[in-house]
Amino acid sequence: MEAVAVSGHTPMVWLTVFFAAALALQWVLQLWLAARQIRHVRAHRHEVPAPFVSRVSLAAHQRAADYTMDTVRLGMVENTVSAVVLLGWTLLGGLNALNQWLLGLMGPGFLQQLVLLLVFGTVAALLGVPWTLYKTFVIEQRYGFNKMTWRLWLGDFLRSSAVGAMLAVPLLAAVLALMQAAGSLWWLWVWALWMGFNVLMMWLYPTVIAPLFNQFKPLENAALRARIETLMARSGFTAQGLFVMDGSRRSAHANAYFTGLGNAKRVVFFDTLLGKLSDAEVEAVLAHELGHFKHRHITKRLITFCVLSLAGLALLGWLLQQSWFFTGLGVEPMLVEGTTQVAAANSALALILFSMLVSVVGALVQPVWAQLSRKHEFEADAYAAQQADAKALAAALLKLYEDNASTLTPDPLYARFHYSHPPATERLARLGAMTPG
């Protein structure tokens, strides 16, 4: 396969400028927002907000402030390093060098491209390990959240790596095969494969994958079980069972969630949650989760995901034919005549470059998704107030905010960009308005 001269210099330059500008804007914006968050939290650290004075101690408020600031500082460093790494992969030639090295080692072809995807994914995953370790064994440890041992962390890492490889290798191989053999509409076939894979994972995760990492036992509290089953019947929700997960093995953070698809649906409570909340408060938290089900939030998000995935793959199908897409992002492609041949020569490069481009652009539209998520949370709270006790939900949320060291005084603009859940003051104020009397 012979490389030919690169054409389309003007689009190439525009793409380079756009990518560099978007990456710089994302980095500056994230640092500015983080600095605002730290300043705002520090400025309000010495006084509990008036609505919470009788319910939150100054010590708990200051602990949450310190935890928030430490987490945001780590995020600032991580964002900076990530921006440099992304620049290194693209405009500074890192991905091109890796691709050329593998071409020299293996020659062009399907196997070389599969190895390129796997090597890139492995390096990216390993680069994320230091941040995970520092967050777990320094910050989470400092505030009493971490329950992990190094042995448990290593076991989790090895298991997750093995599971990831077992899932990723055949999926990526199938994607490459479709890109190279399915003609100009390969992106439609890849979209169908991707949707099917996600549906399969929704079915497999609760029954096969999650038990590899945690123990799930049926909920034994008969009174709470009866209360929850009555609530689910009222809401028209059916599940395979109610389970308690040993979340306390790894963290002191508390949570509850729905998982699964069809007859594999189940309700899961962290044991830490059941240890902190009363039965009425657990019921209210679950009613909130049922609110997402009742308002079809999960279905709406899945539809949005499907549409955006289809649009993104269609765009990639067009970009794959443009030499400037590769050269504009720092990679020298193999250019040949014919749609199928171009896809066969550059499939892996196109997938990697497109994923990095989407990560940069996606970060700039993050406030839109955050706003939509907060809207859904308010709707779920309103449903919970109707189906359970609004006071119990407010009490549960306050306990969870305090136990998870969530600051009560976030910077409003930072919250608009980053918070998928409304700040405590807004959420509890609405619940208070829903409470009779």
Side-chain angles (χ1 to χ4, degrees):
M1 198 176 307
E2 237 177 69
V4 299
V6 174
S7 62
H9 293 292
T10 300
M12 177 192 73
V13 172
W14 278 111
L15 178 60
T16 301
V17 172
F18 169 78
F19 181 79
L23 181 59
L25 176 61
Q26 174 201 351
W27 175 65
V28 171
L29 180 63
Q30 296 298 336
L31 288 185
W32 176 64
L33 289 170
R36 283 181 58 102
Q37 173 79 333
I38 291 173
R39 284 197 303 270
H40 195 275
V41 172
R42 183 190 296 122
H44 295 83
R45 180 182 182 276
H46 302 291
E47 186 177 2
V48 179
F52 306 101
V53 168
S54 62
R55 293 175 287 176
V56 178
S57 68
L58 179 60
H61 174 66
Q62 292 180 335
R63 174 173 175 264
D66 294 340
Y67 176 70
T68 298
M69 289 188 288
D70 282 349
T71 302
V72 173
R73 289 190 189 101
L74 177 63
M76 295 173 75
V77 178
E78 184 178 0
N79 285 336
T80 299
V81 173
S82 297
V84 173
V85 169
L86 192 56
L87 190 64
W89 276 124
T90 53
L91 303 186
L92 297 181
L95 179 60
N96 188 61
L98 175 61
N99 184 53
Q100 295 299 324
W101 177 68
L102 288 175
L103 282 171
L105 191 67
M106 306 175 64
F110 178 87
L111 183 60
Q112 184 269 341
Q113 294 195 62
L114 179 60
V115 171
L116 176 62
L117 288 174
L118 295 176
V119 170
F120 175 82
T122 300
V123 172
L126 291 176
L127 289 175
V129 169
W131 310 113
T132 301
L133 289 176
Y134 189 88
K135 177 73 182 299
T136 301
F137 292 102
V138 178
I139 295 181
E140 297 289 298
Q141 188 79 29
R142 181 182 301 157
Y143 292 93
F145 291 126
N146 179 45
K147 305 300 180 184
M148 294 262 283
T149 62
W150 283 95
R151 181 177 179 179
L152 180 57
W153 181 88
L154 181 60
D156 282 352
F157 179 76
L158 294 176
R159 276 192 298 271
S160 61
S161 299
V163 171
M166 290 173 61
L167 294 171
V169 173
L171 176 65
L172 292 174
V175 169
L176 286 175
L178 287 171
M179 292 180 73
Q180 297 180 12
S184 59
L185 292 180
W186 64 262
W187 50 271
L188 193 58
W189 291 98
V190 169
W191 176 78
L193 173 66
W194 179 233
M195 293 302 101
F197 175 78
N198 279 275
V199 171
L200 177 64
M201 287 301 299
M202 291 177 67
W203 180 74
L204 281 180
Y205 178 81
T207 56
V208 178
I209 297 176
L212 296 175
F213 299 89
N214 290 97
Q215 291 183 354
F216 295 84
K217 298 180 179 180
L219 178 64
E220 296 178 352
N221 185 330
L224 179 58
R225 173 181 286 274
R227 194 166 190 159
I228 290 173
E229 289 174 345
T230 301
L231 171 65
M232 291 195 301
R234 263 197 329 266
S235 303
F237 183 87
T238 58
Q240 184 191 48
L242 308 175
F243 295 88
V244 179
M245 188 187 87
D246 59 340
S248 58
R249 287 185 64 208
R250 292 172 174 80
S251 174
H253 292 297
N255 200 5
Y257 63 92
F258 293 127
T259 186
L261 186 69
N263 60 6
K265 284 189 297 187
R266 54 175 60 186
V267 179
V268 178
F269 301 99
F270 283 34
D271 54 0
T272 45
L273 181 82
L274 298 180
K276 293 170 182 174
L277 304 184
S278 68
D279 286 2
E281 290 165 350
V282 171
E283 179 190 29
V285 169
L286 186 60
H288 168 88
E289 299 300 330
L290 286 170
H292 290 302
F293 162 76
K294 204 65 177 178
H295 285 285
R296 302 185 183 278
H297 293 154
I298 297 172
T299 302
K300 291 174 183 176
R301 291 174 188 177
L302 282 174
I303 293 173
T304 302
F305 173 70
C306 290
V307 172
L308 290 177
S309 297
L310 181 60
L313 285 168
L315 175 60
L316 178 58
W318 176 72
L319 289 173
L320 185 55
Q321 310 305 316
Q322 315 304 318
S323 61
W324 51 262
F325 170 63
F326 299 91
T327 54
L329 294 176
V331 173
E332 193 66 31
M334 295 287 289
L335 298 177
V336 295
E337 295 296 330
T339 299
T340 302
Q341 289 79 6
V342 171
N346 300 295
S347 302
L349 285 176
L351 287 171
I352 295 171
L353 289 175
F354 190 70
S355 68
M356 291 191 285
L357 182 62
V358 167
S359 71
V360 173
V361 176
L364 296 177
V365 298
Q366 180 180 345
V368 177
W369 309 122
Q371 172 63 28
L372 179 62
S373 178
R374 290 193 299 272
K375 178 177 179 291
H376 288 173
E377 294 302 322
F378 280 132
E379 290 174 352
D381 280 350
Y383 181 83
Q386 296 171 356
Q387 297 296 320
D389 185 347
K391 289 183 178 179
L393 179 58
L397 291 175
L398 190 57
K399 286 181 182 179
L400 293 176
Y401 276 115
E402 184 173 353
D403 288 337
N404 291 324
S406 300
T407 182
L408 298 173
T409 56
D411 173 68
L413 190 57
Y414 182 92
R416 291 293 174 267
F417 268 79
H418 289 288
Y419 278 30
S420 61
H421 288 60
T425 49
E426 296 179 20
R427 198 170 178 186
L428 295 177
R430 289 207 186 189
L431 281 172
M434 298 172 192
T435 305

